[in-house]
Amino acid sequence: MVAPSALVLHCDTCGDVPHRVLRGKVSGKDEVIFEGVVKCSKCEQVRSVMTREPRPIQVPIVVSFLEKSERTALEFSPDEEVDVGQELELGDTRLRITAIEVQGRRLEGALAKEVSTLWAKRTDRVRVKFSVNMGNRTVPHDVLAIPDEEFEVGDIVDLGKARAIVHHIRTAHRTVHEGRVRADEIVRMYGRVVRERTSR
Ligand SMILES: [Zn+2]
């Protein structure tokens, strides 16, 4: 096994900070054991260390986004705690755990090594429902947005083939006829299609 080029380790002077690995080796079967010489990135002290940590495990995870679910796996330290509501990162997407299955039962929390399947929802994108009046009919559209992106009454939204102007925005508590609302607070936006100019 190849030794990492840097490790976050505890330095008595600087706390938990990255250390550059000057030389070292990694061994172990159930544990990952690192032995080597490291240099603190802050105070530059050089010292020998040995660290051991449990080998990470792959936990199956079902990630849902819009109507699709995807089965994949996520790496955890075996004794790491997972909880419903916890935020995780998978590549460059963000997730929130929505359910934890342990031996056929749904639990609110468990250790990673006990988990048979995790369920999660993508939280870095939300779907904003947008009802667009096309003159004689109203057509539902889904607009993808990042959760803290804001929509404002009067905004022109690109729907691919058409563009529509936001007329009012409904949230769980009120209807907004003026001003802006965060994407993750929007229940539905209402608007009408805008006539396209044929030239720029
Ligand atoms: Zn230090």
Side-chain angles (χ1 to χ4, degrees):
M1 250 180 297
V2 181
S5 60
L7 287 170
V8 173
L9 295 170
H10 187 81
C11 167
D12 286 338
T13 315
C14 313
D16 294 331
V17 295
H19 284 63
R20 198 146 76 83
V21 174
L22 301 180
R23 58 180 182 276
K25 65 178 170 67
V26 174
S27 59
K29 205 172 169 200
D30 300 329
E31 284 183 317
V32 180
I33 300 166
F34 168 80
E35 290 174 86
V37 178
V38 297
K39 185 179 187 179
C40 175
S41 63
K42 266 185 140 177
C43 69
E44 306 208 315
Q45 190 202 45
V46 173
R47 62 203 168 89
S48 303
V49 292
M50 184 177 85
T51 65
R52 44 176 74 219
E53 54 183 59
R55 181 167 297 285
I57 53 169
Q58 296 283 327
V59 176
I61 183 167
V62 178
V63 177
S64 62
F65 180 58
L66 305 183
E67 278 78 28
K68 277 187 259 171
S69 296
E70 198 188 344
R71 184 173 280 273
T72 172
L74 203 52
E75 201 170 82
F76 286 91
S77 183
D79 292 317
E80 203 174 332
E81 224 176 281
V82 288
D83 294 293
V84 169
Q86 191 179 332
E87 300 258 354
L88 300 170
E89 274 176 26
L90 176 66
D92 47 12
T93 66
R94 276 210 337 267
L95 312 173
R96 186 185 301 119
I97 298 177
T98 53
I100 299 172
E101 191 187 309
V102 176
Q103 294 178 333
R105 291 196 307 147
R106 295 285 178 114
L107 300 181
E108 286 296 305
L111 298 180
K113 64 185 175 194
E114 304 170 332
V115 173
S116 12
T117 308
L118 290 175
W119 275 270
K121 216 175 96 178
R122 219 178 132 176
T123 57
D124 57 343
R125 288 283 184 284
V126 292
R127 165 177 37 190
V128 176
K129 292 177 177 167
F130 190 17
S131 291
V132 178
N133 187 294
M134 312 280 282
N136 54 355
R137 65 205 167 100
T138 298
V139 179
H141 285 274
D142 287 335
V143 180
L144 291 187
I146 53 176
D148 62 358
E149 187 175 341
E150 291 183 320
F151 288 87
E152 185 170 13
V153 172
D155 273 354
I156 306 260
V157 178
D158 196 335
L159 301 172
K161 283 181 184 163
R163 296 190 313 153
I165 187 165
V166 178
H167 184 252
H168 62 276
I169 302 172
R170 234 181 57 218
T171 72
H173 309 290
R174 63 203 172 110
T175 301
V176 176
H177 291 279
E178 199 177 54
R180 42 183 62 232
V181 181
R182 274 173 60 114
D184 59 1
E185 291 171 11
I186 296 173
V187 172
R188 187 179 287 273
M189 301 196 295
Y190 295 85
R192 62 182 158 76
V193 77
V194 288
R195 204 173 292 278
E196 291 291 339
R197 279 173 301 179
T198 47
S199 61
R200 284 172 179 271

